[in-house]
Amino acid sequence: QARKASREPYVQFRTQHREELQRRQRIEEELRRALDTDRSQLEIHYQPIVSTDSGTLVALEALLRWNHPDLGSIPPAEFIPLAEQSTLIDKVGAHVLATACAEVAATPELAQIMLCINASRRELTNGEFLHRLTATCEQTGMNPRSLCLEITESALAPLDGGLLNLLREIRALGIHISLDDFGTGASSLSELYRLPVSILKAARAFVDALEERPSARTILAGIVDVAHAMGVRVIAEGVETAEQAATIAAVRCDLAQGYHYGRPKPLAEIVTEGAASSAPQEVRDDS
Ligand code: C2E
Ligand code: MG
Ligand code: MG
Ligand code: MG
């Protein structure tokens, strides 16, 4: 009896573990299937990145959405880390790059807007990434200077010579690089001078801390100063409130992204909203 009881937590653990494993396996299989045979399950949403002083749209971040017919909508936080464990992330990345570039390049209203795309370490190091970038820009008509790759700090560690060279080659194509989720990993401002980055994205966790910890504001102001001294612009991400928006503007963050400005949505909605926001002015002019 005692023996049985003592085994129970273990059995529970094993069952939970097995279910988790099965879910992960299913997700991986289904994602592969979606990419190979039914890409209509995959949709790219775009989130506005605005200038903190004028509020105008400067860039869009492409964020992948997956709606599975049986499993429903699966968040990237679940399927991206899974895909990153295999070469599946290569397929995901190639799909997002090609689709987002094609969609944005085909929209004349967005000619001046920068397109930001997330890239994982495994994609960067697959040996054909540079070629994929040039081929995609050629095929879609995307201007490399309007393209920005978001790479997390953790994806760059360890930063060996090969990877650093690749980043320089990407930059030489005109494509921008931004450091995503800056402030959450092993942030190292001292590494910044080695990296050909144009933009630093202060992580959401960082922006969240602004309200609770006064020191967070001081640190952010310092990061902005260092970034500016190196010609690097700063985006604050995850800005949800007017207070946060005011604070990040006060410490001279150049750009901002978050629910306060707009949620990720299909490109068509972004374009209609852009048209709608300039429409009232025209109506007023006529009357
Ligand atoms: P990320 O690149 O840091 O993207 C920002 C995430 O924060 C997005 O979550 C976005 O929807 C969310 N977000 C934006 N503003 C706010 C806000 O004000 N409040 C809160 N609470 N959240 C906000 P999402 O779309 O779920 O993506 C999660 C992560 O998945 C991304 O983090 C990125 O690392 C990864 N991901 C998404 N799409 C792709 C992709 O196409 N390729 C790769 N490699 N990774 C992707
Ligand atoms: Mg990102
Ligand atoms: Mg981020
Ligand atoms: Mg973001």
Side-chain angles (χ1 to χ4, degrees):
Q1 193 71 33
R3 194 164 159 191
K4 191 188 168 214
S6 73
R7 284 174 67 101
E8 242 162 48
Y10 174 67
V11 172
Q12 253 172 38
F13 169 77
R14 275 224 324 211
T15 310
Q16 244 176 40
H17 188 65
R18 194 180 56 230
E19 279 165 7
E20 236 172 75
L21 249 127
Q22 279 168 350
R23 161 107 183 158
R24 290 163 63 135
Q25 244 163 36
R26 174 97 201 269
I27 299 262
E28 204 186 314
E29 274 167 30
E30 293 297 329
L31 181 56
R32 198 176 294 275
R33 202 195 315 275
L35 284 159
D36 287 342
T37 66
D38 183 13
R39 295 199 170 186
S40 70
Q41 292 175 26
L42 302 169
E43 192 184 14
I44 296 172
H45 283 192
Y46 299 84
Q47 188 176 27
I49 295 173
V50 305
S51 152
T52 47
D53 34 71
S54 60
T56 50
L57 182 71
V58 171
L60 292 170
E61 179 176 8
L63 294 158
L64 186 56
R65 298 291 176 257
W66 179 20
N67 200 10
H68 186 274
D70 304 327
L71 299 172
S73 134
I74 301 156
E78 183 173 5
F79 68 80
I80 293 285
L82 268 180
E84 280 174 342
Q85 286 172 18
S86 71
T87 52
L88 191 52
I89 192 62
D90 256 331
K91 266 194 176 173
V92 173
H95 171 72
V96 173
L97 182 71
T99 312
C101 284
E103 287 188 355
V104 169
T107 312
E109 292 94 324
L110 301 175
Q112 303 302 319
I113 302 300
M114 184 158 75
L115 171 62
C116 304
I117 295 190
N118 294 284
S120 305
R121 184 181 179 94
R122 208 187 267 266
E123 294 174 70
L124 297 176
T125 55
N126 74 1
E128 51 190 48
F129 191 63
L130 208 60
H131 174 255
R132 179 186 293 171
L133 288 173
T134 43
T136 305
C137 286
E138 269 167 29
Q139 284 158 16
T140 61
M142 182 78 205
N143 179 355
R145 288 173 202 290
S146 299
L147 188 59
C148 178
L149 297 175
E150 294 195 1
I151 305 172
T152 62
E153 291 184 284
S154 49
L156 291 181
L159 183 67
D160 50 61
L163 190 51
L164 191 56
N165 258 338
L166 177 76
L167 297 179
R168 290 184 177 139
E169 283 176 303
I170 291 172
R171 187 67 199 99
L173 294 174
I175 296 173
H176 296 277
I177 293 167
S178 82
L179 268 190
D180 204 353
D181 298 343
F182 187 85
T184 56
S187 304
S188 172
L189 276 175
S190 63
E191 282 274 290
L192 213 51
Y193 77 95
R194 287 213 294 162
L195 298 169
V197 297
S198 313
I199 297 173
L200 204 148
K201 288 189 89 167
R204 193 168 88 219
F206 214 97
V207 173
D208 283 347
L210 288 176
E211 273 140 40
E212 298 128 45
R213 291 188 290 145
S215 60
R217 180 187 165 132
T218 313
I219 296 168
L220 185 59
I223 290 174
V224 172
D225 281 347
V226 173
H228 285 175
M230 292 191 294
V232 171
R233 288 192 293 170
V234 179
I235 302 181
E237 62 177 322
V239 177
E240 294 181 348
T241 67
E243 287 81 2
Q244 289 170 340
T247 306
I248 59 126
V251 299
R252 297 190 303 129
C253 277
D254 310 86
L255 305 165
Q257 176 180 9
Y259 297 164
H260 177 68
Y261 310 96
R263 295 198 173 237
K265 51 192 138 216
L267 197 62
E269 286 178 35
I270 303 254
V271 175
T272 343
E273 277 167 17
S277 66
S278 56
Q281 209 132 25
E282 287 163 24
V283 173
R284 250 180 264 129
D285 284 348
D286 287 347
S287 60

